[in-house]
């Protein structure tokens, strides 16, 4: 097998946890191993969901696998994640999810009441999101090889006419809006995993965002790009958009909404909230002439009540994200290499 770069995968001869973290190592794995093997123009879009045409209809199609540990955490479970993660990937292309597939990989010895509890949570999340689990599969692996259970979901949905959400549409002057507090999901999972207490219980923001996206598109179908900043956090999402669009991004550090509980937890753990995963937030690049109306529509929706403008796209430093600090300085917000908090989604 031939590699496609002189120093592939940061000189890692074996898979490491960072290859699944949604950062630079994940991108290298896809770019140098999977993409050359699979080929195809659809895959080259590299979006949260693929936009495809079938029988004259535009569809969004996405798949995701969930390996979170522990299976249950404040505000959700692996079942909730399995639905909301895929529904949100479809929503980021403007599509309303219609059908999901669901594959359970169970470890021998996991208690059946645990499986039932996850299945019930998954079913409830699907009904809340207005999506039907239409097909599925179950496999069992030997004890010690599955960490309880893993879940894979794939989903399809219709993309409305006139909607074209992709990073290549971003232009200088676009306003960057985030739908609410960042870093909540990752800290919620880490707190129960490590038995940590931060003075206040932090619950995951795990939620379906299809309704919020519909409210935004009702203002104007001319949104440029949406992303849900999961693995790699807000920093990874913004860097991906900047690189794909060839624009720079300037953030105002004090405008990025980080709740006190998350800020305190990150200070204790030595983490940066910009790199911590979210499961119920989105970031949008909106033409400046529509930004006020879109922001108002977001704030009128329960999933976007905390929406705020955090920056803009600029012509300077293409492909780079920077933030202006409260002290008047500027620092670069790099693409994460791996993952600060593995196994959280």
């Amino acid at each position: 097998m031939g590699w496609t770069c002189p120093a592939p995968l940061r000189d890692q001869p074996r898979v490491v946890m960072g290859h699944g973290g949604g950062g630079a190592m994940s991108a290298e794995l896809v770019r140098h191993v999977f993409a050359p093997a699979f080929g195809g123009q659809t895959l080259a879009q590299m979006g949260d969901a693929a936009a495809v045409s079938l029988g004259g209809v535009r569809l969004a199609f996405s798949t995701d696998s969930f390996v979170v540990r522990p299976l249950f955490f404040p505000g959700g479970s692996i079942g909730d994640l399995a639905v909301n993660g895929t529904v949100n990937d479809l929503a980021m292309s403007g599509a309303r999810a219609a059908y999901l597939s669901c594959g359970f990989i169970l470890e021998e010895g996991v208690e059946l009441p645990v499986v039932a509890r996850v299945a019930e949570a998954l079913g409830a999340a699907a009904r809340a999101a207005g999506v039907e689990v239409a097909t599925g599969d179950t496999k069992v692996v030997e004890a010690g090889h599955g960490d309880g259970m893993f879940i894979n979901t794939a989903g399809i949905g219709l993309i409305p006419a006139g909607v074209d959400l992709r990073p290549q549409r971003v232009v200088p002057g676009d306003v960057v809006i985030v739908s609410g507090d960042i870093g909540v999901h990752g800290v919620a999972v880490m707190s129960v995993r490590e038995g940590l207490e931060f003075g206040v219980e932090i619950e995951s923001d795990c939620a379906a965002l299809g309704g919020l996206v519909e409210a935004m598109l009702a203002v104007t179908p001319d949104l440029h790009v949406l992303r849900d900043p999961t693995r790699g956090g807000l920093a990874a999402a913004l860097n991906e958009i900047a690189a794909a669009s060839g624009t720079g991004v300037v953030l105002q550090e004090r405008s990025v909404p980080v709740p006190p509980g998350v800020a305190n937890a990150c200070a204790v753990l030595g983490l940066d909230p910009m790199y911590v995963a979210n499961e119920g937030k989105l970031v949008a690049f909106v033409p400046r002439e529509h930004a006020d109306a879109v922001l108002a529509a977001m704030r009128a929706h329960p999933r976007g009540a905390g929406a705020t403008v955090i920056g803009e796209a600029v012509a300077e430093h293409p492909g780079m994200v920077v933030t202006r600090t409260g002290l008047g300085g500027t620092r670069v917000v790099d693409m994460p290499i791996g993952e600060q908090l593995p196994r959280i989604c």
Side-chain angles (χ1 to χ4, degrees):
M1 177 178 179
W3 298 101
T4 58
C5 65
L9 307 182
R10 300 186 183 272
D11 296 320
Q12 289 286 349
R14 300 177 187 273
V15 172
V16 297
M17 292 300 294
H19 287 129
M25 294 183 74
S26 291
E28 289 178 350
L29 182 65
V30 171
R31 186 167 60 248
H32 299 304
V33 177
F34 297 130
F38 301 157
Q41 292 302 308
T42 303
L43 181 64
Q45 298 173 19
M46 295 296 177
D48 287 339
V52 299
S53 295
L54 188 64
V57 176
R58 291 182 71 219
L59 297 173
F61 178 36
S62 184
T63 186
D64 206 345
S65 299
F66 300 87
V67 296
V68 64
R69 177 172 60 86
L71 300 177
F72 304 94
F73 46 83
S77 71
I78 190 173
D80 301 280
L81 283 175
V83 171
N84 294 334
T86 297
V87 165
N88 291 346
D89 283 346
L90 297 173
M92 296 308 104
S93 65
R96 181 75 174 187
Y99 298 100
L100 295 181
S101 70
C102 180
F104 276 79
I105 300 173
L106 305 175
E107 181 183 10
E108 180 184 22
V110 66
E111 297 177 354
L112 285 175
V114 172
V115 178
R117 184 180 168 193
V118 170
E120 290 168 0
L122 192 152
R127 289 187 290 274
V131 64
E132 180 181 348
V133 179
T135 187
D137 182 51
T138 305
K139 293 292 189 295
V140 177
V141 298
E142 296 87 348
H145 292 272
D147 208 11
M149 73 179 72
F150 302 144
I151 300 177
N152 172 271
T153 48
I156 57 173
L158 290 171
I159 301 176
V163 173
D164 183 18
L165 298 173
R166 49 192 173 89
Q168 291 78 12
R169 297 195 62 219
V170 172
V171 295
D174 280 359
V175 174
V176 183
I177 304 174
V178 68
S179 63
D181 291 341
I182 67 167
V184 181
H185 173 72
V187 170
V189 173
M190 181 56 64
S191 66
V192 293
R193 181 187 297 174
E194 304 298 337
L196 301 175
E197 295 184 3
F198 304 109
V200 60
E201 184 177 63
I202 300 172
E203 291 194 355
S204 170
D205 58 351
C206 183
L209 298 175
L212 175 60
V213 173
E214 287 184 353
M216 297 167 68
L217 291 173
V219 174
T220 175
D222 190 31
L223 306 178
H224 284 169
V225 69
L226 303 177
R227 283 289 171 89
D228 57 334
T230 54
R231 295 180 305 163
L234 184 60
L238 293 174
N239 272 279
E240 288 171 355
I241 292 169
S245 64
T247 63
V249 176
V250 176
L251 305 177
Q252 300 297 328
E253 186 173 64
R254 288 183 173 176
S255 297
V256 178
V258 180
V262 170
N264 292 339
C266 288
V268 171
L269 297 171
L271 304 176
D272 185 337
M274 290 286 292
Y275 296 91
V276 178
N278 314 270
E279 286 292 346
K281 301 297 187 301
L282 64 79
V283 60
F285 282 64
V286 181
R288 185 168 295 278
E289 62 268 26
H290 300 306
D292 289 343
V294 170
L295 182 63
M298 294 175 72
R299 288 175 172 172
H301 191 279
R303 298 300 179 198
T308 186
V309 173
I310 61 171
E312 64 178 334
V314 297
E316 295 77 22
H317 51 77
M320 182 181 296
V321 180
V322 303
T323 185
R324 292 175 178 155
T325 69
L327 298 177
T330 300
R331 66 180 179 89
V332 175
V333 181
D334 287 325
M335 183 73 165
I337 300 299
E339 174 63 275
Q340 291 187 112
L341 303 175
R343 302 287 303 279
I344 58 174
C345 57

